[in-house]
Amino acid sequence: MRAARERVAGSVANFVDERTGAAKFLKKSLNKVFPDHWSFMLGEIALYSFIILLLSGTFLTFWFVPSQEELIYNGSYVPLKGVKMSAAYASTLDISFDVRGGMLMRQIHHWAALLFLAAMVAHMMRVFFTGAFRKPREMNWIFGVALITLGIVEGFLGYSLPDDLLSGTGIRIAQAILQAIPLVGTYAAFFAFGGEFPGLDFIPRIYTVHVLLLPGIMLGLITVHLMLVWYQKHTQYPGPGRTEKNVVGYPLLPVYMAKAGGFLFIVFGVTAFLGAVASINPIWVFGPYTPTQISAGSQPDWYMGWLDGLVRMSPPLESHIFNHTISWNILIPGLIVPGIMFTGLALWPFIESWATGDKREHNLLDRPRNAPSRTAVGAMAITFTIVALINGGNDIIATHFSLTINQIMWATRISIFVLPPLAYVITKRICLALQRADRDLVLHGRETGRLVMLPHGEFVEIHEELSPEEAWTRTSHEQLAPIPAAGIDANGVRAKGVLKDRIRARISKGILQEQIAKPTAKDKLEIGDGHH
Amino acid sequence: MSNKELEPLQDPGLPAHAHRKADHDEAAANRAERQVAILFLLSALGTVLFIYSYIFIENNLYIYIPILGNQHAQQLFLGLGFAIALFFIGAGAVHWAKTLMSDTEVIAERHEMRSSDEDRAAFIATVKEEAGAVGLGRRSLIKRSLALSLGLVGISPLLLLRDLGPLPEDALNKTTWDEGVHLVTDPGNRRLRPEDLEVGAVAHVLPEIEHPEHRSLNSIAKDALLLIRIRPEEFRLDAEKLSWTYQGIIAFSKICSHMGCAVALYEQTTKHLLCPCHQSTFDVPTGAKVIFGPSARPLPQLAIKVDEEGYLVAAAPFNQAVGPSFWERKK
Ligand code: HEM
Ligand code: FES
């Protein structure tokens, strides 16, 4: 039995190799080593939810009718019988109530979309806070930022498709943002919508974008993203035996493959469970879209909520120059601030390496505490986004905590300027405190809580020395020194571009100067064994 | 420059591999095998539940589940079956990998991404040679004309997008409202007399058209009005705007001047209109001035009067574009 099976496998392999020469490549690939850490699974979750989206989305396309043509509903959801609505909305009702398992698939699709974006954001934070984006992985960071951006757009277009009251309101807002762009906005909006809002063309158009264009681009980006991970080999956390020049982990076959494949099913199972028990986007409650109605307390999906929050807190600014209107109240929160945020995000690896002067390859990850300034910048960005997100739900919060919208609005308007810098300072302090704790641990060992009485009656606590492995993990990072303020050469002559250099030296000092010196072998010797 | 010279602690190297129970204990290994098999069989049960629910549960059956409330039984059990079927395949595979597959960590070497210096030099030499052979450096006419046509060819696909929509022209400045157009209720399409509206009341209004059943969303999105009645002495308007009201009845565009949502909430006691989208709040007595929120303009006001039969009609078209701002919008 076994011999026969091996013979078949052998001849298949032979067939393929004689025609492609794949054996050489595969032999190398199958021996690929993958480091293991829970935080490396976040990207995997994103990948798996993308696969789930492709599968469940394809199922939905079999019944969804992307058309704004009006019809009278006559399906099995009684409260809406006889109501005029678009074919898109009616077909979404049909999927929900007349296709067996249709509702389940809609809910799986929507939950997977939320999970997809959440996993991408979490994955990005992991990469950011551990410095995994550093050379040679800057390109993959940029692909990642592109994927998140496209993911947000894709999700928005997705929940715009059913043409219910909530999604139509979202489209209206998107149209207003488009229309607010100076010079070309009105034309862009007329071209996108085939005329005035809402028209009859928008849903068929975004349908093509949602099911073909963006998934295609994302699939391409994901493929390149993974090929680069493969080719550059995964980063690893610092630890005993782990260096910049090696990678320690499990081989692709069988362990990694079994775990990853198993994990795909687990993620799919969890989204199916959510789809089964947790209702999401009940479009039949909202009713079909009409421009004259609105559901109170309407909320976009969470990954759009921060944008909504920015729009809500924006001051009522509009300029009128030479018979033209510029809507700052839309442009600033809707385009300018997000534009700055995403550009900064995409360029971060280059900003950082410019500021620290570090142009080397890095395969060992940073522990976030050992890069205090980066960690603090990250905390600042997260704080900014959370404040915006909170204001995006200000009506919900107001009713839940019996506050007025006015109070929340002013609180967030102030917080968005005050809290992020505060988060920066606090995070940096915390990082330095953790560095100090590491130093103490390495030098003085861990407190055991056990007391012993010395001969002369004094009580001392026994400190247990760290294992060499633990001590190494806490000290193997390197501490860069700031870039010297260059620009003045030996003869005291100022070189060209001095100002730029000085600024850079200043920034680099701000970033790198504050570090708690890590213990060296000498420190440890000096303290000696007598110390407890 | 870095602490390196200060001689760091020593790297103790990869710790020795710790064996699991199942690695040397045959009984433990067999137990693990049984556990994995049970997980896979649970998945099979999930699929059975899925198939059963698909075929046998009625579409109109709802059941009450604590916490979840009333649930559509078929969708619930289809989902649970599916979830179980998928989850336990995954759980089985992971358990299998963790207990029975080899868990020795291995070390692989890395290589710098940068190519070796010889490769780089050879590459550059090849590029130079090729470029020389093509003669781009010398034949600048070819280079320039090629650049020109490549630049131009990009215009064609853009031009092809031109027919996506009509030019805006004056469309955004126009609505159906004109002198003498009747105000009718939405929904209902009934004409309104001033008496139909008590003080404090609000009505949702559209212009009367010949075939209301064919009213397009495009026109609704610009024509929708709010009709509000307060006591005439409460108005604080200039003479012109005041003349646009009728016996305390004032008409505003219902399309938010911020981003075009329906300004749907009227608070009678404060006489405020509120847009739920971003909470722009408009004060009715002062002509819908913005008192809170991101909108920068009052809601446009429509001049109204009554016709000879006593029905409310528009006295003039809107004097400005309704809805969100746009570049060509005049103050
Ligand atoms: C890649 C990321 C994707 C995201 C983030 C995403 C997101 C969404 C969301 C949030 C909805 C609204 C679902 C609802 O609550 O009704 C939706 C609807 C839809 N999606 Fe996707 N989707 C993605 C990919 C796809 C793909 C690849 C397809 C098809 C091949 C697809 C087909 C559809 C269809 C037909 C609908 C409308 C039907 C309905 O809403 O029930 N989607 N999408
Ligand atoms: S659309 Fe009305 S407040 Fe934004």
Side-chain angles (χ1 to χ4, degrees):
Chain A
M1 194 46 209
R2 167 167 260 180
R5 215 162 39 203
E6 274 168 15
R7 233 185 3 256
V8 174
S11 51
V12 169
N14 184 43
F15 179 91
V16 173
D17 186 54
E18 283 184 353
R19 281 154 191 83
T20 60
K24 187 168 160 229
F25 168 75
L26 282 179
K27 186 187 115 241
K28 240 173 74 188
S29 305
L30 295 185
N31 288 333
K32 266 262 143 68
V33 169
F34 289 85
D36 205 19
H37 190 271
W38 66 265
S39 69
F40 297 163
M41 290 196 318
L42 297 169
E44 266 182 69
I45 300 182
L47 173 65
Y48 301 149
S49 27
F50 182 71
I51 295 174
I52 297 170
L53 283 164
L54 291 182
L55 295 174
S56 56
T58 305
F59 178 91
L60 295 176
T61 60
F62 297 153
W63 288 275
F64 181 71
V65 182
S67 156
Q68 280 163 290
E69 251 13 281
E70 287 195 329
L71 50 73
I72 306 288
Y73 178 68
N74 192 24
S76 58
Y77 183 65
V78 181
L80 287 176
K81 252 192 200 316
V83 172
K84 205 157 87 168
M85 59 180 64
S86 69
Y89 185 70
S91 69
T92 313
L93 289 176
D94 289 342
I95 296 177
S96 306
F97 295 105
D98 294 285
V99 175
R100 278 180 284 182
M103 174 94 84
L104 177 66
M105 279 299 168
R106 270 195 60 229
Q107 306 211 135
I108 289 181
H109 193 69
H110 205 133
W111 274 113
L114 298 188
L115 188 67
F116 179 53
L117 279 142
M120 277 201 289
V121 169
H123 173 59
M124 182 178 72
M125 287 187 193
R126 194 284 287 172
V127 169
F128 181 85
F129 286 112
T130 59
F133 55 79
R134 289 172 298 171
K135 192 179 168 191
R137 297 183 177 77
E138 305 97 322
M139 270 197 299
N140 244 0
W141 170 262
I142 291 179
F143 291 143
V145 175
L147 277 166
I148 289 203
T149 316
L150 293 179
I152 292 176
V153 176
E154 175 77 351
F156 173 74
L157 296 183
Y159 75 71
S160 297
L161 283 177
D163 203 20
D164 57 283
L165 192 51
L166 188 59
S167 75
T169 305
I171 298 179
R172 169 85 248 200
I173 291 169
Q175 192 266 356
I177 295 182
L178 206 56
Q179 192 173 286
I181 301 172
L183 226 61
V184 295
T186 318
Y187 289 84
F190 267 67
F191 289 164
F193 283 78
E196 289 184 78
F197 175 86
L200 292 176
D201 297 333
F202 196 63
I203 286 190
R205 285 178 184 174
I206 60 170
Y207 180 70
T208 312
V209 178
H210 181 78
V211 307
L212 181 72
L213 189 61
L214 289 186
I217 298 175
M218 292 168 87
L219 195 61
L221 283 173
I222 291 175
T223 310
V224 181
H225 193 80
L226 293 179
M227 276 164 52
L228 270 174
V229 171
W230 187 272
Y231 181 64
Q232 296 178 328
K233 303 203 177 87
H234 209 292
T235 51
Q236 58 191 350
Y237 282 95
R242 279 140 230 256
T243 70
E244 290 284 3
K245 294 248 162 348
N246 73 8
V247 45
V248 181
Y250 297 108
L252 179 71
L253 277 180
V255 203
Y256 186 78
M257 212 54 172
K259 276 193 189 167
F263 199 48
L264 164 65
F265 280 92
I266 290 179
V267 173
F268 210 153
V270 170
T271 30
F273 180 74
L274 285 171
V277 301
S279 160
I280 184 168
N281 200 15
I283 50 125
W284 54 94
V285 178
F286 310 141
Y289 178 66
T290 136
T292 58
Q293 283 173 21
I294 186 153
S295 46
S298 45
Q299 288 292 312
D301 276 357
W302 69 267
Y303 48 86
M304 299 292 290
W306 60 279
L307 261 178
D308 204 36
L310 287 177
V311 171
R312 287 180 184 195
M313 74 172 75
S314 156
L317 288 178
E318 207 170 70
S319 322
H320 303 274
I321 324 170
F322 303 121
N323 261 335
H324 287 295
T325 302
I326 306 176
S327 316
W328 300 111
N329 52 352
I330 299 178
L331 291 172
I332 293 177
L335 290 173
I336 298 175
V337 172
I340 294 174
M341 284 169 72
F342 278 87
T343 313
L345 197 63
L347 296 182
W348 179 262
F350 307 102
I351 298 174
E352 189 184 297
S353 90
W354 174 81
T356 57
D358 184 355
K359 311 267 183 234
R360 296 161 308 161
E361 284 192 7
H362 290 279
N363 297 312
L364 277 180
L365 296 172
D366 278 329
R367 299 168 75 219
R369 69 187 63 175
N370 291 333
S373 297
R374 177 202 299 144
T375 307
V377 168
M380 190 164 87
I382 294 176
T383 311
F384 180 90
T385 317
I386 289 179
V387 173
L389 187 59
I390 288 177
N391 195 45
N394 59 5
D395 38 356
I396 310 271
I397 296 173
T399 38
H400 273 275
F401 299 95
S402 44
L403 296 165
T404 66
I405 297 222
N406 208 328
Q407 287 165 331
I408 303 175
M409 187 86 86
W410 278 106
T412 47
R413 274 181 183 171
I414 296 169
S415 309
I416 201 121
F417 289 104
V418 174
L419 289 188
L422 206 62
Y424 181 93
V425 174
I426 294 177
T427 309
K428 197 153 175 176
R429 291 296 121 201
I430 293 178
C431 287
L432 293 176
L434 287 171
Q435 285 188 9
R436 204 169 292 121
D438 272 349
R439 184 183 161 88
D440 287 348
L441 264 179
V442 171
L443 291 181
H444 309 296
R446 184 175 280 127
E447 292 171 9
T448 57
R450 272 183 288 131
L451 296 179
V452 288
M453 197 170 75
L454 297 180
H456 53 276
E458 188 195 344
F459 280 96
V460 292
E461 190 181 0
I462 296 187
H463 282 232
E464 190 176 15
E465 180 139 358
L466 287 192
S467 70
E469 283 81 15
E470 279 180 288
W472 172 248
T473 307
R474 285 178 165 75
T475 54
S476 63
H477 63 284
E478 51 166 32
Q479 296 184 316
L480 286 178
I483 307 171
I488 301 180
D489 66 17
N491 307 325
V493 179
R494 279 172 181 257
K496 252 201 337 212
V498 170
L499 185 64
K500 206 182 90 199
D501 281 347
R502 278 226 300 268
I503 293 176
R504 192 173 126 185
R506 256 319 249 289
I507 294 178
S508 132
K509 208 164 127 188
I511 295 176
L512 297 172
Q513 199 163 50
E514 274 182 290
Q515 299 265 17
I516 306 299
K518 67 176 194 180
T520 60
K522 193 156 145 269
D523 292 337
K524 205 150 165 52
L525 265 180
E526 272 169 11
I527 285 181
D529 284 329
H531 192 97
H532 278 288
Chain B
M1 68 175 257
S2 78
N3 239 336
K4 259 213 170 103
E5 304 88 337
L6 292 179
E7 195 201 346
L9 303 186
Q10 282 296 312
D11 180 358
L14 203 60
H17 180 62
H19 283 285
R20 294 161 304 188
K21 206 160 179 211
D23 288 339
H24 42 74
D25 178 354
E26 189 62 20
N30 287 339
R31 205 170 330 118
E33 181 179 0
R34 276 196 303 279
Q35 287 163 350
V36 172
I38 288 173
L39 290 173
F40 284 153
L41 289 178
L42 274 174
S43 155
L45 281 183
T47 304
V48 172
L49 175 62
F50 183 88
I51 296 173
Y52 174 86
S53 317
Y54 193 89
I55 301 177
F56 295 108
I57 299 184
E58 300 277 329
N59 185 20
N60 52 12
L61 180 68
Y62 283 80
I63 52 171
Y64 180 80
I65 311 252
I67 302 172
L68 298 181
N70 257 342
Q71 292 280 317
H72 187 265
Q74 188 183 47
Q75 115 90 11
L76 178 66
F77 287 107
L78 275 177
L80 289 179
F82 201 34
I84 292 171
L86 292 163
F87 182 85
F88 284 104
I89 290 186
V94 170
H95 192 56
W96 183 11
K98 286 212 157 153
T99 51
L100 292 170
M101 292 180 188
S102 148
D103 75 331
T104 5
E105 284 194 307
V106 291
I107 301 182
E109 294 304 310
R110 284 181 198 275
H111 312 280
E112 218 184 338
M113 282 301 123
R114 186 180 193 282
S115 313
S116 69
D117 284 340
E118 300 95 86
D119 283 348
R120 285 161 68 110
F123 173 71
I124 290 170
T126 318
V127 170
K128 278 197 179 139
E129 196 178 309
E130 301 281 320
V134 178
L136 268 188
R138 262 178 306 125
R139 306 225 175 265
S140 65
L141 185 61
I142 294 189
K143 209 162 61 181
R144 291 202 190 124
S145 54
L146 179 62
L148 176 74
S149 42
L150 279 180
L152 284 179
V153 84
I155 295 179
S156 336
L158 279 183
L159 194 62
L160 280 177
L161 293 180
R162 163 62 192 87
D163 280 345
L164 276 175
L167 295 183
E169 291 176 349
D170 208 21
L172 289 179
N173 293 315
K174 288 204 193 115
T175 68
T176 314
W177 294 109
D178 203 348
E179 189 187 347
V181 175
H182 281 93
L183 278 64
V184 294
T185 58
D186 170 34
N189 290 302
R190 277 174 290 105
R191 290 183 178 183
L192 280 163
R193 293 172 189 279
E195 311 83 86
D196 296 336
L197 221 59
E198 290 163 24
V199 170
V202 58
H204 301 263
V205 166
L206 288 170
E208 187 176 60
I209 55 170
E210 208 166 322
H211 296 286
E213 66 280 9
H214 294 315
R215 202 190 283 281
S216 75
L217 290 186
N218 282 19
S219 58
I220 296 177
K222 287 195 302 187
D223 293 341
L225 288 191
L226 286 164
L227 211 55
I228 296 161
R229 184 163 199 166
I230 61 177
R231 276 189 298 278
E233 64 273 18
E234 286 172 316
F235 281 126
R236 272 166 284 130
L237 299 168
D238 61 32
E240 189 192 19
K241 292 268 169 74
L242 196 61
S243 72
W244 293 355
T245 67
Y246 185 83
Q247 293 181 355
I249 302 179
I250 189 166
F252 295 115
S253 164
K254 190 177 169 183
I255 309 303
C256 188
S257 52
H258 179 225
M259 294 171 106
C261 289
V263 182
L265 306 177
Y266 179 57
E267 223 182 296
Q268 219 189 77
T269 44
T270 52
K271 303 190 185 61
H272 289 165
L273 280 166
L274 179 90
C275 175
C277 270
H278 315 101
Q279 291 122 9
S280 290
T281 308
F282 305 91
D283 182 48
V284 171
T286 52
K289 279 223 174 90
V290 186
I291 52 167
F292 183 73
S295 182
R297 286 185 284 111
L299 298 170
Q301 183 188 343
L302 183 75
I304 52 168
K305 60 181 187 186
V306 291
D307 66 2
E308 51 278 17
E309 294 164 74
Y311 289 112
L312 286 165
V313 293
F318 272 110
N319 71 335
Q320 55 179 302
V322 301
S325 296
F326 49 97
W327 172 248
E328 295 84 357
R329 189 179 199 282
K330 309 206 170 26
K331 170 87 183 167

